[in-house]
Amino acid sequence: MRRATGLLLAVAALTLVVLASLALGARDIAPGVVLGALVDPTGSTDHAVVLDQRLPRTVVGLAAGAALGLAGAVMQGITRNPLADPGLLGINAGASLAVVLATAVLGVTSPSRFIWFALAGAAVAAAIVYGVGAIGREGATPVKLALAGTAVTAGLTSVITLLLITDTDTIAAYRRWSVGSLAGRDLDTVVALVPFLLAGAGLALVTARALNLLALGDDLARGLGQNVHLARAAAAGAVVLLAGAATAMAGPVVFVGLVVPHLARPLTGPDHRWLLPYSVVLGPVVLLAADVVGRLVLRPGELEAGLVVAVVGAPALVAIVRRTKVAGL
């Protein structure tokens, strides 16, 4: 009962954040005008702002936030590491390198054209990390995945830095994408990535019971009949689809995947059957709230959502590290 009530409250919070995302921004628009734009658009300037700018970034925030929150919860379950996030599989670094190469080699500069390069780069990097981590008789253990992810991320980051310092034009295009933003993305971007998001979400939710067993340790999970390697590979595939699609949409937004599971865990406990749905709802709450705050603090300008999340997420990370109960995943 407590978990169901908490989930309903989280949905209510998400509804409020969505309304704020549609109503608030650099331009003052009355709530009645916002409603009119959604139900009976007239083509006025205010309606165009709502439909062409605020609605697409709200939808992008919903999709990317849900994907990052869910991917973070799954990633922490795979590695049994409370400080793990989707970037640990090299997803952010792989997507970033693909975007840099697309810009430097092919001259691609539009965020809407980055999505396929970013998604492909994330998938390749995650495959390398998982392949390296799976070497050996024990297969892909949490420690080996973490070490392989750290090594691959460090290597890719060095290549990115090398490319950027030798090409100023690439730096300008990459900088706008790399901060993590919901602005400048259209609904076509979300539509193109919906199949990846749905496949990743479905795969993640299916692995909830397996993640509960993996949390008991590999030996006990095997003793209870769980195929450890298959469960871990399926969960890793879900992370790649979710985080890869989110990064392709909004750029490498950090901390959402790390913090959201910790916001949910006090209510859900370690049970992934509840933790995953909570993360789906709380992820967009965090990302959209950061986007709304970013629009209001420097009016008429704005801060990118990725920067606001990072500013808030750093103290949250410190708080997580200081907590004594985080090991009880």
Side-chain angles (χ1 to χ4, degrees), residues 97 100-101 103-105 157-172 174:
L97 178 58
V100 169
L101 288 174
T103 304
V105 178
T157 302
S158 299
V159 176
I160 293 170
T161 303
L162 179 63
L163 291 171
L164 290 178
I165 61 177
T166 58
D167 190 338
T168 55
D169 293 335
T170 300
I171 290 178
Y174 173 73

Side-chain angles (χ1 to χ4, degrees), residues 98 100-109 113 117:
V100 169
L101 288 174
T103 304
V105 178
L106 302 178
V108 177
T109 57
R113 297 180 62 191
F117 296 100

Side-chain angles (χ1 to χ4, degrees), residues 106-167:
L106 302 178
V108 177
T109 57
S110 170
S112 63
R113 297 180 62 191
F114 283 157
I115 58 174
W116 301 117
F117 296 100
L119 188 62
V124 171
I128 293 173
V129 169
Y130 196 86
V132 173
I135 294 175
R137 191 168 53 184
E138 303 87 357
T141 65
V143 173
K144 290 165 65 178
L145 282 176
L147 292 174
T150 302
V152 170
T153 297
L156 295 180
T157 302
S158 299
V159 176
I160 293 170
T161 303
L162 179 63
L163 291 171
L164 290 178
I165 61 177
T166 58
D167 190 338

Side-chain angles (χ1 to χ4, degrees), residues 22 29-44 46-48 50-51:
L22 292 172
I29 301 178
V33 177
V34 174
L35 180 62
L38 297 177
V39 299
D40 185 23
T42 62
S44 66
D46 286 344
H47 284 192
V50 174
L51 296 177

